[in-house]
Amino acid sequence: MKTWSEMRAFPLAIRLLLVNQLGVNIGFYLLIPYLATHLGEDLGMSAAVVGIVLGVRNLSQQGLFILGGSAADRLGARGVIIAGCALRTVGFALFALGDGLPVLLAASILSGLAGALFNPAVRAYLAAEAGDRKAEAFALFNIFATTGALVGPLIGSALLLVDFRASALTAAAIFALLTAAQAAVLPAREVPASKGSVLGDWREVLANRAFLAFSLAMVGMFTMENQLYLLLPDGARRATGWDGAAGIVFLVGTLANLTLQMRITRSLKERGTRARWVAAGLALMGVAFVPPMAVAGMSAGGGTGRAALGLVPVLAGALLLYVGVMVAQPFVMELIPEFGRAELTGTYFGIFYVVSGIAAAVGNTVVGWAMDAGAHGGAAWLPWACCLAFGLLSAAGVGWLHRLRALPVRAVAVTA
């Protein structure tokens, strides 16, 4: 109930963007997690070709965030959001309508470009509309995104009982509805005249050393968040011997997010600096990998009771990880626009996701290597220890930037 009352306190534009993010994640997660299986098993493509199709989609999104951010600054976030959702409608529809490699590559490029457009634009619009309540707005954004990430795979699993095309067309229909809703309801805002060139904007942001250092420090947050879809589900399956155990991880996290996110953000906002809570959240995310690490490598045998007991440390770790995200993420999103001029908010978000995405890709490679090395060398604890190190190092990095006074400080209103 508190979540809904908080949502109603925001203007219509923010409420629409929150619902939009719910729909975006439902549409994305009901399709993309099953794409590799469709390409490999249904269409008979080789692992190399599957990797190319998936890689093109990811590269189109991660590499072009900077274009989406600049477009939001110069053309207006509203139009870029609508264009991004429309492009994803087309991209997901192509996954349903075509089986040839050229069509699938086009679908991957369009769906990736769509994310590169609307992701920074949505955050820039939200930051501008929320005013001094950015932390609360991004906390709600996190709730809706997490809920969509849980609901999407459930719907996708049901639609796969029909076939993959049903999933793709449903996802396309969701994005078509979102496009129409934004075009009809999302208010247009005047876009200030741009000074200088796009390249000049990029140079200005990239010259902000404090911002770049902060973006790199966030490698831990993105790497650890990604383990909600890799390491933790794998740990749950190994602990129980049951493939469905991964779903319990997402369920626990979503319920915790719905009940705790707004309470956490409201209670922390006026207590201490934002950097303090970002560092604390990152450290908590790292510590979250300790309980599963303590039981890594143990056998799943022994019946239902033994499996349930084996699942407890994994769920405890997942809960701590979600809480760490709830502590840190709203304040991370609140900080980013304050590193520079308001006219470059979209560019700052775009470059933040490019830098952090590349760094997190390296981090995920390290975790993947640790999983393989641990499995072959009898050191099942190794990937969990890597994630613990990522969390503590990222927390230390943010703490160091704070001690250097390199991070933006929240302005305090002064009355006469």
Side-chain angles (χ1 to χ4, degrees), residues 203-294:
R203 283 195 295 268
E204 179 179 336
V205 176
L206 292 172
N208 190 328
R209 295 182 179 179
F211 168 71
L212 291 181
F214 180 73
S215 299
L216 289 172
M218 288 300 103
V219 61
M221 186 174 80
F222 285 93
T223 300
M224 290 184 291
E225 271 192 291
N226 284 341
Q227 303 321 307
L228 290 168
Y229 307 101
L230 177 62
L231 189 55
L232 281 162
D234 182 71
R237 286 189 290 265
R238 290 179 183 275
T240 62
W242 175 44
D243 288 342
I248 301 177
V249 171
F250 299 122
L251 180 61
V252 166
T254 302
L255 292 176
N257 194 269
L258 285 169
T259 55
L260 298 177
Q261 176 69 84
M262 293 310 302
R263 290 182 173 89
I264 289 173
T265 302
R266 281 198 306 268
S267 65
L268 298 183
K269 184 178 179 180
E270 304 303 329
R271 300 178 184 178
T273 63
R274 292 171 294 185
R276 170 186 174 185
W277 297 123
V278 172
L282 290 169
L284 183 58
M285 290 173 72
V287 172
F289 293 91
V290 172
M293 180 170 62

Side-chain angles (χ1 to χ4, degrees), residues 178-211:
L178 292 176
T179 303
Q182 291 155 4
V185 180
L186 199 62
R189 296 288 184 258
E190 183 178 352
V191 182
S194 301
K195 300 177 182 178
S197 65
V198 172
L199 290 178
D201 292 346
W202 294 355
R203 283 195 295 268
E204 179 179 336
V205 176
L206 292 172
N208 190 328
R209 295 182 179 179
F211 168 71

Side-chain angles (χ1 to χ4, degrees), residues 365-376:
T365 301
V366 172
V367 173
W369 168 85
M371 291 177 71
D372 290 337
H376 294 311

